[in-house]
Amino acid sequence: MDILKSKSSKYFLFISLLALVLVSFIFYILLNINNQKKLISNLENSLAITKNLLEEEKRYALSLSILLSQDEELINAYEINNRKKAFDIVNKKINGLKKLQNSLFEVQIHTKELNTYLRSWDFSKKDIPLSSFREGLVKVKKENKPLVSIELGKRLNIKAISPILRNGKFIGSIEVIIGFDYLEKELKDKGYNLDILLNNKYLNIATTLKNNPKIGEFTLVNKKILNTSFDTNTLEDYGYFTDNDTAFSYFTYYSLNREKLGYFIISLKNSSKLQLNNNYENRYINTNNKVIIQ
């Protein structure tokens, strides 16, 4: 009888341990699924937030550009070719908005021939031909309509251009230039980091970026060093990938002629150390601290 009880006890213990292992495994699977859903949700949010902030910056730049193109005091100074007066007016308005809205931007005025007339940050620069590499300027002159985009010049930034019109005639244009500092700060406050990549083939235009860090065929616009290694040739139009400690989302940005310029890459902590192996734009796995395509 004691032998039967002993066998029964061992059997019960075995079943209990098996049930515990099974429950633990199911709990682990459910926890992993939940963590993955949270991570994907965070990555999708990071994409949406970045795009929304970017559009807000574009709208702000465009509104400033339109207002300045209709500012009679400034346009009168431009028409009588008083560069010093125009320079003082522009910088007075920039400083006023900086105090009121903590807004950082620069202004450039162009002649009707699309040469540099005035730069708010450098009075000495003038008469520089721009039409050969500034798509936006050519388009604004042709269509007589305001335009905002991420555009290449010697730098990469948001450029909002409005025509200066007199009696419906194009006499020049005015441009508001905004960098990505505000976008970076807003994302950082929300727990995200931003890296912007520009294809190296455009460095003949964006000459100020030539010495910035490189990753594959791309240059880091905001001079940071991306803390991961991955093959840039495998990136699609948008998607997600991970390394051991960080999760990334990304999307492409284009020129006005729909040429692919590079990528916005948003990163956040991958605290659960999950690997994204599902079907997104690409399928990513992590091997030896390098991200590769499956």
Side-chain angles (χ1 to χ4, degrees):
M1 197 71 176
D2 290 338
I3 294 173
L4 289 174
K5 284 184 179 179
S6 177
K7 285 184 177 180
S8 177
S9 297
K10 287 180 180 179
Y11 180 74
F12 177 76
L13 182 61
F14 174 76
I15 294 298
S16 298
L17 287 172
L18 186 63
L20 182 62
V21 169
L22 184 61
V23 168
S24 298
F25 179 72
I26 293 171
F27 179 76
Y28 171 79
I29 293 296
L30 291 174
L31 183 63
N32 199 55
I33 291 171
N34 186 54
N35 285 338
Q36 190 175 58
K37 284 182 178 179
K38 283 183 180 178
L39 180 59
I40 293 167
S41 178
N42 280 336
L43 288 168
E44 288 177 346
N45 283 340
S46 73
L47 285 175
I49 289 168
T50 303
K51 288 183 177 182
N52 287 339
L53 287 170
L54 192 56
E55 289 307 309
E56 283 178 17
E57 285 288 88
K58 285 182 179 180
R59 286 193 293 270
Y60 178 61
L62 187 60
S63 65
L64 288 177
S65 175
I66 292 170
L67 285 171
L68 289 172
S69 72
Q70 297 171 357
D71 187 286
E72 286 299 319
E73 184 184 19
L74 176 58
I75 303 312
N76 286 337
Y78 169 73
E79 282 190 295
I80 63 174
N81 196 26
N82 190 333
R83 288 184 71 248
K84 182 64 171 68
K85 185 176 181 181
F87 182 79
D88 291 341
I89 292 168
V90 162
N91 278 287
K92 182 181 177 182
K93 293 182 182 297
I94 289 173
N95 290 331
L97 281 166
K98 193 183 293 183
K99 289 177 182 177
L100 286 172
Q101 300 181 13
N102 193 26
S103 174
L104 297 174
F105 64 95
E106 296 170 334
V107 173
Q108 184 169 205
I109 302 174
H110 324 101
T111 66
K112 64 181 179 180
E113 295 82 18
L114 304 186
N115 298 331
T116 300
Y117 176 75
L118 186 73
R119 288 176 174 170
S120 65
W121 65 97
D122 188 349
F123 182 73
S124 67
K125 298 293 183 183
K126 63 176 184 176
D127 301 326
I128 301 170
L130 302 171
S131 59
S132 63
F133 62 94
R134 291 293 311 279
E135 303 167 33
L137 293 180
V138 175
K139 190 175 177 66
V140 167
K141 181 177 181 178
K142 182 180 178 181
E143 299 180 358
N144 270 354
K145 293 179 182 178
L147 174 71
V148 61
S149 65
I150 297 173
E151 191 179 355
L152 275 174
K154 287 189 175 181
R155 299 171 290 173
L156 179 80
N157 34 40
I158 296 167
K159 296 179 171 71
I161 309 162
S162 294
I164 301 172
L165 303 174
R166 273 290 188 252
N167 300 318
K169 184 180 178 181
F170 180 88
I171 63 171
S173 57
I174 193 157
E175 173 182 24
V176 168
I177 303 165
I178 295 180
F180 301 106
D181 293 342
Y182 174 80
L183 182 59
E184 280 189 68
K185 181 184 176 300
E186 286 295 300
L187 287 172
K188 193 160 189 173
D189 289 345
K190 298 177 191 305
Y192 304 121
N193 289 313
L194 174 67
D195 292 281
I196 304 168
L197 301 184
L198 174 70
N199 195 299
N200 293 338
K201 68 182 179 181
Y202 298 109
L203 292 178
N204 63 319
I205 299 171
T207 53
T208 61
L209 305 178
K210 280 186 176 180
N211 296 324
N212 282 18
K214 305 292 187 292
I215 177 166
E217 296 180 359
F218 293 84
T219 293
L220 281 159
V221 173
N222 42 350
K223 295 187 179 180
K224 295 179 180 178
I225 297 174
L226 204 55
N227 294 320
T228 192
S229 176
F230 62 95
D231 185 358
T232 54
N233 292 320
T234 59
L235 297 182
E236 297 290 339
D237 205 50
Y238 70 93
Y240 316 104
F241 60 92
T242 60
D243 64 18
N244 285 336
D245 302 308
T246 312
F248 302 86
S249 61
Y250 69 91
F251 62 90
T252 309
Y253 65 98
Y254 294 87
S255 71
L256 290 170
N257 290 329
R258 297 302 297 169
E259 293 175 309
K260 184 183 285 189
L261 297 177
Y263 297 95
F264 278 68
I265 297 183
I266 309 102
S267 56
L268 59 143
K269 284 185 179 179
N270 184 13
S271 55
S272 56
K273 300 190 183 297
L274 284 171
Q275 297 174 8
L276 295 182
N277 298 322
N278 293 330
N279 287 314
Y280 303 106
E281 190 71 15
N282 275 321
R283 297 183 69 203
Y284 290 91
I285 60 172
N286 185 287
T287 303
N288 297 326
N289 294 324
K290 290 192 177 181
V291 178
I292 63 173
I293 291 295
Q294 228 181 6

